[in-house]
Amino acid sequence: MRVLVTGGAGFIGGEICRRLAARGDDVVVLDSLAAHKEPPDYLPDSIELIVGDLGDEHAVHRAVEGVDAVCHQAARVGLGVDFDDVADYVADNDGGTANLLRALWRRSFTGRLVVASSMVVYGEGRYRCPEHGDVTAEPRRRSDLDEGRFEPLCPRCGADLAWATVGEDARLDPRNVYAATKVHTEHLSFLYGRESGSGVCALRYHNVYGPRMPRDTPYAGVASIFRSALESGTAPRVFEDGAQTRDFVHVSDVARANLLALESDWTGAANIASGEPHTVGDMARALAAAFPGAADPVVTGEYRLGDVRHVVASPDLAAETLGFRAETGFAEGMAAFAHDPLR
């Protein structure tokens, strides 16, 4: 099978490419290499690398020629610096996806399309009020965050809420620019599937970590930010009170989920998560424990307005439809990540 992987030189895309090549697939990568000084040495020699971004119509049309399946990983990720990034996010993520889909349409592509999405499409996760049951948490107010009140409250009675696992049928409620572009990426891709007959699967990644994760950029994930601090002899700075709950899933599991999705004929969106929730503070402490003599993480009380408090996935649909269950546990994965190569 000939598979196009957009963003295939990146953190997740590179792991997908290595696995595809290892099983004998013919792999073509479209990547701008914006995050690299030269083509990365971890891509197998058998891969055809096309240097260009999704805004380059010639490169995109060359990349889609003759492919049987597409794994769309290319995106600008993270919260960025501030809202001034909005045009870049929309151009790269919304516009880039649209250019890819148009190129596929022009060559009458009806093969498998697997799209990288994110847990950020949910906004805040799922919450339950003791009196009112499932409720939608309102966006947190700056005044509450300034005073250290981080937990969402019931919008009906003001009671404390308890988080619950989020299923794929939850309302989409993006609360930052990146999240909004991921919702649009999903919508455009499913529209393409309806119009073309292509089978489309969107994988909603939760907090991915592992080897070759980007470092030292405003778009890096929190795991890599903490790891970089520890390597420099600095205590990780944990925002809010460190009790934000997430699902940390290893990149090897995410890559395996993509291969399963490429092989499947199931269409829809699925959470890709470990099923093992932990707090951000747990992660900081686990990484610090792997650095002898490291300073304990510092809980700062700082916040980012676009962050959400608790997002924990239900992994059941991916298990049922794709046969996916994560294999790397939190303790094992974090111990390895403390010494994995970053880029």
Side-chain angles (χ1 to χ4, degrees):
M1 181 167 66
R2 183 170 173 82
V3 184
L4 166 63
V5 183
T6 70
F11 166 44
I12 298 172
E15 184 68 22
I16 293 169
C17 288
R18 287 188 291 277
R19 287 173 176 256
L20 288 170
R23 74 178 193 182
D25 287 309
D26 182 15
V27 182
V28 57
V29 166
L30 176 64
D31 198 297
S32 69
L33 299 186
H36 307 269
K37 294 180 181 177
E38 56 188 24
D41 59 8
Y42 51 76
L43 288 180
D45 292 339
S46 62
I47 286 175
E48 178 186 351
L49 174 61
I50 298 173
V51 179
D53 62 34
L54 289 170
D56 181 340
E57 185 172 349
H58 175 75
V60 174
H61 280 267
R62 179 182 162 202
V64 303
E65 190 62 35
V67 299
D68 304 299
V70 176
C71 191
H72 178 32
Q73 304 295 313
R76 182 181 292 262
V77 300
L79 275 181
V81 177
D82 55 34
F83 196 82
D84 194 60
D85 284 335
V86 62
D88 294 330
Y89 272 95
V90 171
D92 288 352
N93 297 355
D94 297 352
T97 298
N99 289 336
L100 172 65
L101 297 176
R102 181 172 62 182
L104 292 172
W105 178 261
R106 288 178 173 174
R107 62 143 292 203
S108 301
F109 174 84
T110 59
R112 187 69 166 161
L113 173 60
V114 176
V115 178
S117 187
S118 171
M119 57 120 181
V120 296
V121 300
Y122 298 120
E124 283 287 353
R126 182 181 173 199
Y127 291 92
R128 287 178 175 163
C129 170
E131 180 176 352
H132 298 107
D134 280 5
V135 297
T136 299
E138 299 294 331
R140 297 183 296 171
R141 296 178 296 187
R142 189 185 296 271
S143 58
D144 288 337
L145 297 171
D146 284 339
E147 295 179 10
R149 294 194 297 269
F150 301 121
E151 293 290 344
L153 302 176
C154 177
R156 297 176 64 183
C157 68
D160 290 338
L161 298 175
W163 64 260
T165 56
V166 182
E168 289 81 356
D169 58 351
R171 180 172 71 104
L172 302 187
D173 185 20
R175 299 197 177 182
N176 56 60
V177 171
Y178 170 61
T181 66
K182 279 299 176 183
V183 171
H184 199 203
T185 290
E186 283 196 20
H187 286 171
L188 289 173
S189 299
F190 285 122
L191 284 169
Y192 178 82
R194 187 179 69 184
E195 294 288 331
S196 69
S198 180
V200 178
C201 181
L203 302 181
R204 292 175 179 165
Y205 304 157
H206 285 249
N207 290 70
V208 188
Y209 71 98
R212 303 179 187 87
M213 195 173 184
R215 68 191 303 168
D216 303 331
T217 84
Y219 311 97
V222 66
S224 127
I225 292 170
F226 288 170
R227 157 72 187 275
S228 294
L230 288 162
E231 283 185 326
S232 69
T234 305
R237 295 176 60 82
V238 180
F239 280 15
E240 300 187 18
D241 59 1
Q244 311 93 301
T245 314
R246 298 289 189 269
D247 186 300
F248 300 98
V249 58
H250 197 269
V251 67
S252 62
D253 285 321
V254 173
R256 187 166 50 82
N258 275 271
L259 268 65
L260 289 169
L262 285 167
E263 295 163 357
S264 172
D265 59 5
W266 181 79
T267 61
N271 290 322
I272 301 302
S274 72
E276 187 182 350
H278 287 273
T279 68
V280 173
D282 289 340
M283 181 184 64
R285 289 186 289 272
L287 288 175
F291 286 82
D296 291 335
V298 175
V299 177
T300 69
E302 297 172 85
Y303 64 86
R304 297 188 300 180
L305 199 59
D307 275 339
V308 296
R309 182 63 175 173
H310 305 293
V311 186
V312 178
S314 168
D316 295 341
L317 184 64
E320 176 187 341
T321 58
L322 303 176
F324 170 76
R325 287 283 187 190
E327 296 176 349
T328 302
F330 179 80
E332 170 196 355
M334 287 297 164
F337 179 65
H339 306 289
D340 282 334
L342 300 184
R343 63 170 177 84

